[in-house]
Amino acid sequence: MQTMTYPQANADMSEALTKVPEVTLLFWIVKIAATTLGETGGDALSMSLNLGYLLSTGIFAALFIVAVAAQMRARQFHPWVYWTTIVATTTVGTTLADYFDRSLGIGYSGGTTILLVLLLTSLWTWQRTLGTVSVESVSSPKAEIFYWVTIMFSQTLGTALGDWTADTAGLGYSGGAVVFTGLLLIVVAAYRWTRISRTALFWAAFVLTRPLGAVVGDYLDKPVAAGGLALSRFGASAVLLGFIAACLFFFTHRASVKEH
């Protein structure tokens, strides 16, 4: 019987991996930190530096395009590249949602509705085109494009949804955090004790972590009179960035295995 050599085994294993991370507890911890950083970082540019929502969106969009290009050119999963791209989507999502909601006068409810339609349309088109929206299927350029477009819509939707819950619904930042934490716990329970599609639950959790990050980020940097802690946006962003970097440096991040 012919035995497989180690180089061949390594090549086969490489071909069996995607360029996105395995979904573990560590993944969700870094994701929540990244979404919170997106809120504080986006507000730091648009508000603290007074660049406005439109100009800030243009700057973050350019960074997002560069990051996605690097991610798509990579031949294998690189944690630093992947999470840089995720952070880029959260920052541009923050300023873009604020531009829709405030500068265009659409309001939180209008912005949330439009972005929800865009997100569902992206997922529907992805499903119709490739037959699945599972992250384990993200192994081709076309799937990567759908993946990052969907993530962009989900991050922007999450910002609008978080602001809507905290402001319009009158729950405040701490109340909003409790609501979205509770919803995430329901998703976890459904994952553990039901047969609901794991792919559907993944995207539900992915969307819900964004408004959680949005309300936590606002809680950190908004004035005390508005229900926040009035911390420096730049200081909070630096702490969150350091935390994410530590997670990437000290812990192993593995690529997800392709579907077969």
Side-chain angles (χ1 to χ4, degrees), residues 22-255:
E22 181 183 15
V23 180
T24 62
L25 178 60
L26 180 61
F27 172 89
W28 292 115
I29 290 173
V30 178
K31 170 63 165 60
I32 293 172
T35 59
T36 308
L37 172 59
E39 190 71 19
T40 58
D43 287 350
L45 206 65
S46 62
M47 298 179 186
S48 296
L49 293 182
N50 295 316
L51 296 184
Y53 301 127
L54 185 58
L55 179 56
S56 297
T57 297
I59 293 172
F60 287 129
L63 296 175
F64 168 67
I65 291 171
V66 172
V68 168
Q71 170 71 17
M72 294 189 67
R73 286 177 62 87
R75 302 187 64 180
Q76 59 186 4
F77 171 62
H78 294 288
W80 290 90
V81 176
Y82 175 85
W83 285 109
T84 296
T85 310
I86 288 291
V87 170
T89 65
T90 65
T91 49
V92 71
T94 295
T95 54
L96 183 59
D98 288 342
Y99 179 71
F100 280 169
D101 299 339
R102 300 167 186 174
S103 297
L104 295 183
I106 296 175
Y108 296 131
S109 59
T112 298
T113 302
I114 291 172
L115 290 163
L116 178 60
V117 170
L118 290 173
L119 173 61
L120 294 176
T121 300
S122 177
L123 286 168
W124 180 84
T125 305
W126 184 0
Q127 174 72 36
R128 293 279 294 181
T129 302
L130 298 181
T132 179
V133 296
S134 170
V135 293
E136 286 82 10
S137 69
V138 183
S139 57
S140 68
K142 184 177 289 187
E144 280 195 274
I145 291 173
F146 278 118
Y147 180 78
W148 288 111
V149 168
T150 301
I151 284 180
M152 173 59 72
F153 286 145
S154 75
Q155 304 283 42
T156 310
L157 167 64
T159 301
L161 185 59
D163 289 342
W164 185 18
T165 303
D167 296 337
T168 305
L171 295 179
Y173 305 122
S174 58
V178 170
V179 167
F180 291 116
T181 299
L183 291 174
L184 282 169
L185 290 176
I186 292 174
V187 173
V188 172
Y191 179 87
R192 186 174 179 85
W193 289 298
T194 74
R195 295 187 177 182
I196 296 175
S197 166
R198 291 331 191 219
T199 298
L201 291 175
F202 168 83
W203 285 110
F206 199 95
V207 170
L208 288 171
T209 53
R210 182 63 187 100
L212 175 60
V215 294
V216 171
D218 282 338
Y219 179 68
L220 292 175
D221 64 35
K222 287 297 187 288
V224 174
L229 294 179
L231 299 179
S232 163
R233 294 185 177 108
F234 293 103
S237 298
V239 170
L240 288 163
L241 187 60
F243 175 78
I244 294 171
C247 287
L248 295 180
F249 185 80
F250 291 109
F251 297 97
T252 300
H253 294 250
R254 298 183 179 88

